[in-house]
Amino acid sequence: MFHKSFAVRIAYGSMSLYVAILHNVFLLYYVDIFVSVYKIDRNSFWLGEAIFLVWNSLNDPLFGWLSDHRALENNQSGLSQPEIVEKRFRALMKYGPLFTLAFLSIWFGWIHPSIQFVLCLCLYDGFLTMIDLNHLALLADLALSSEDRAALNWYCSVFSGCGAISVFMSHHFWDRDHMSSFHVFCTLLSVFSLTGFLISSFLLKQHFLLKKVKVDSPQEEESRLEIQSTLPTADQSLELKIFVKQLMTHSNFMWFSAMNLVQVLHCHFNSNFFPLFLDKLLGDFISPQTGSILLGVSFVAPHINNLYFLALCRQFGVYTVIKWLFYVKLALSVVMLVCGPNWPTLLCFYIASNRVFTEGTCKLLNLIISDLVDEDFVLHNRKQAISALIFGTSALFSKPGQTIAPLLGTWLLAEQTGHSLFYSDDLWTSSTDKRTNFQDSANDNLRWGCFYVLVYVPIVCASLQIFVWMRFKLHGVRLQWVKQMREGRWFPSSEV
């Protein structure tokens, strides 16, 4: 039994590797290739980002609804728990390869840049959403106890950390003037990821098909299918109205969504402006090689830290660990603000740790959403948990932060420094031949402006999150009650 449980965890966790090795490269270079290589114009870029904002926000609840709306039916025509799990594996097997092809289409110019920008972003995010929703929903479907979910999350963190190796490797292949090596690199990554998705999803599907045979006898299966064929399909518009009404009264979900919106905004703010802060605040104090190492470490360290955070979660609970991470983020930012930008070693540590702690918090939030799935299941007396729909609806409220982050960052930098990123190319552009002198007093206004943006954003984000998180009640006695209520009516299809 143990080796089967271990195999399931490995197969489930390895899917994080196949996503991470591609998505890390996407985050680092997709803006650069369209702006610097394909030479997309400013208006087309922001129009594409606006279209992406709408699609990025709506596709999560849309795909979640398509996946789980039948579970809202208050009759026997819904899918059984083993069928729901099997359906998620089929989706991973189908959309995983399509996701890798969408990733590959970004790095080769095959149509006008303005059109390619919109198409590639929407296709890439659409397939990524399908993978994330089904993969994350399995966290709630396969495991009920906090210990089992933490174990699955632990394996995901290990494999995601391994996926960050693509960040280190990409630095050696990226060259705006000669893209052939980078094309080969991205092609190899895509082939590896595609193969991995097919193998892992196939193994998981076969494992649970065997489990399903043991759970459902042929007579039970035939009887259930007969019932499905005779019962009418519920009115989907009525289902949607009921679900929205239930969601609006789910106070813990709403408080979590508010906190998560701020968290997503801060995470993407760090990703978008990490290289800029290194260059403009530290200048020639660190070499380009050191900067690239810091960049790579900032992608790996959150996954390593998460292994420690998960151990703390088992001891103190996820809610408490996240709360203290907010306090740490606030304390570090206040200390940095008091010290100022003239302490390069401290500044270097702060820039890296700010991203590490923020990303580390993001890695724990899936455990909270899984608990919200349990609470929704108990509060509304559902026959099946609507895991994908809850994850998707949560993303509806948080995904706008992904687009707001670069817009807010560019506006704040322009306000604090007096220079726009779009109209001061020579000032903002990084170059290994002409790097900013750390001691150059002529750049003081630019440095202080960047510094204020660097520390003000975490201070405001942490303060808002602490205020909201104190109103989130799904922990302690409340969480224990929810777990006990669901355990009485839920039977896992497999041990994990």
Side-chain angles (χ1 to χ4, degrees):
M1 183 65 67
F2 173 78
H3 74 278
K4 292 182 179 179
S5 173
F6 177 74
V8 170
R9 292 175 180 179
I10 289 291
Y12 178 82
S14 66
M15 290 187 179
S16 297
L17 168 65
Y18 311 134
V19 173
I21 60 172
L22 302 186
H23 194 55
N24 290 338
V25 174
F26 168 81
L27 288 176
L28 284 176
Y29 298 108
Y30 89 91
V31 172
D32 206 356
I33 194 169
F34 277 100
V35 173
S36 303
V37 179
Y38 299 154
K39 306 294 184 182
I40 187 174
D41 63 276
R42 177 179 179 272
N43 292 333
S44 296
F45 178 81
W46 287 112
L47 177 61
E49 286 286 358
I51 296 173
F52 176 59
L53 169 62
V54 176
W55 171 244
N56 191 27
S57 300
L58 294 180
N59 62 18
D60 291 88
L62 173 63
F63 295 157
W65 174 261
L66 293 175
S67 175
D68 283 1
H69 75 90
R70 285 184 61 186
L72 296 172
E73 301 173 8
N74 193 25
N75 53 45
Q76 300 181 44
S77 63
L79 297 177
S80 66
Q81 186 69 24
E83 287 177 315
I84 290 175
V85 174
E86 183 184 343
K87 181 181 178 182
R88 304 214 193 283
F89 292 140
R90 289 200 304 268
L92 290 172
M93 185 177 293
K94 177 180 179 181
Y95 294 108
L98 292 176
F99 165 69
T100 64
L101 295 177
F103 167 82
L104 195 59
S105 69
I106 296 171
W107 316 111
F108 298 86
W110 47 275
I111 200 172
H112 191 277
S114 301
I115 300 176
Q116 182 178 350
F117 184 66
V118 175
L119 289 178
C120 286
L121 280 186
C122 291
L123 286 173
Y124 177 87
D125 185 72
F127 294 132
L128 177 63
T129 297
M130 290 299 297
I131 294 171
D132 279 344
L133 278 181
N134 285 281
H135 190 241
L136 293 174
L138 286 172
L139 184 65
D141 291 336
L142 300 183
L144 179 59
S145 70
S146 299
E147 292 77 13
D148 286 341
R149 287 175 178 173
L152 288 176
N153 202 310
W154 188 90
Y155 279 85
C156 288
S157 295
V158 171
F159 280 104
S160 294
C162 295
I165 192 175
S166 61
V167 176
F168 293 100
M169 297 173 63
S170 65
H171 176 72
H172 298 287
F173 294 99
W174 175 254
D175 186 341
R176 298 181 184 90
D177 299 322
H178 304 90
M179 293 292 294
S180 57
S181 297
F182 192 75
H183 287 161
V184 173
F185 171 69
C186 290
T187 301
L188 293 176
L189 288 182
S190 299
V191 171
F192 175 79
S193 183
L194 185 150
T195 305
F197 269 117
L198 291 177
I199 294 175
S200 293
S201 54
F202 176 78
L203 292 176
L204 282 171
K205 180 182 176 182
Q206 291 302 310
H207 174 78
F208 280 91
L209 278 177
L210 294 176
K211 285 288 182 181
K212 183 176 181 296
V213 171
K214 297 177 181 179
V215 173
D216 295 341
S217 66
Q219 293 80 7
E220 291 173 334
E221 181 73 8
E222 182 178 351
S223 175
R224 188 181 55 75
L225 291 174
E226 184 178 348
I227 291 175
Q228 288 184 10
S229 64
T230 56
L231 286 174
T233 302
D235 184 1
Q236 293 189 16
S237 62
L238 179 61
E239 293 171 7
L240 180 59
K241 291 178 181 178
I242 293 173
F243 172 70
V244 171
K245 183 178 179 180
Q246 291 173 340
L247 198 67
M248 293 300 103
T249 59
H250 193 173
S251 61
N252 284 324
F253 179 86
M254 301 308 295
W255 286 119
F256 171 82
S257 298
M259 181 278 295
N260 198 23
L261 171 63
V262 180
Q263 184 67 24
V264 170
L265 186 151
H266 191 198
C267 284
H268 282 82
F269 173 84
N270 287 338
S271 297
N272 295 151
F273 298 102
F274 187 100
L276 183 143
F277 288 139
L278 284 180
D279 181 62
K280 299 307 173 186
L281 291 174
L282 294 170
D284 58 1
F285 179 79
I286 60 172
S287 66
Q289 291 75 20
T290 303
S292 65
I293 291 174
L294 280 175
L295 184 63
V297 169
S298 73
F299 276 83
V300 177
H303 303 292
I304 299 175
N305 262 4
N306 196 37
L307 304 181
Y308 174 67
F309 292 155
L310 287 171
L312 293 178
C313 288
R314 295 188 184 97
Q315 185 175 358
F316 301 105
V318 184
Y319 171 85
T320 302
V321 173
I322 291 176
K323 179 181 67 175
W324 282 107
L325 284 173
F326 292 153
Y327 282 117
V328 169
K329 179 166 66 176
L330 179 61
L332 287 175
S333 300
V334 172
V335 169
M336 193 69 248
L337 178 62
V338 172
C339 293
N342 296 321
W343 297 76
T345 303
L346 180 61
L347 191 61
C348 187
F349 169 78
Y350 173 75
I351 293 174
S353 64
N354 182 37
R355 173 175 163 77
V356 168
F357 282 110
T358 304
E359 290 290 333
T361 304
C362 288
K363 307 304 178 186
L364 300 177
L365 296 185
N366 293 333
L367 297 175
I368 297 292
I369 302 178
S370 297
D371 291 338
L372 289 169
V373 171
D374 295 338
E375 187 179 37
D376 172 85
F377 178 86
V378 172
L379 287 178
H380 303 112
N381 196 30
R382 302 198 190 282
K383 294 185 179 298
Q384 303 294 342
I386 50 173
S387 309
L389 188 52
I390 295 294
F391 273 97
T393 309
S394 173
L396 171 66
F397 293 102
S398 64
K399 281 294 183 69
Q402 186 172 339
T403 302
I404 294 173
L407 299 178
L408 179 65
T410 52
W411 176 76
L412 286 175
L413 287 169
E415 288 292 314
Q416 293 294 323
T417 65
H419 301 281
S420 171
L421 268 72
F422 283 99
Y423 298 109
S424 304
D425 294 336
D426 293 338
L427 182 67
W428 290 105
T429 301
S430 302
S431 172
T432 55
D433 299 325
K434 184 181 179 182
R435 306 188 72 225
T436 305
N437 190 326
F438 180 76
Q439 303 295 338
D440 188 358
S441 60
N443 291 312
D444 271 354
N445 289 337
L446 182 65
R447 289 181 61 244
W448 276 96
C450 290
F451 174 76
Y452 283 136
V453 174
L454 173 68
V455 295
Y456 284 161
V457 170
I459 288 175
V460 173
C461 288
S463 300
L464 288 174
Q465 289 176 305
I466 291 171
F467 173 79
V468 172
W469 201 232
M470 291 174 64
R471 284 147 182 79
F472 184 82
K473 303 301 181 184
L474 188 56
H475 57 91
V477 176
R478 172 71 177 184
L479 182 59
Q480 291 178 4
W481 174 78
V482 168
K483 295 292 185 182
Q484 290 172 358
M485 291 296 293
R486 189 174 179 189
E487 283 175 351
R489 306 202 313 270
W490 186 86
F491 300 91
S493 58
S494 174
E495 296 183 10
V496 294

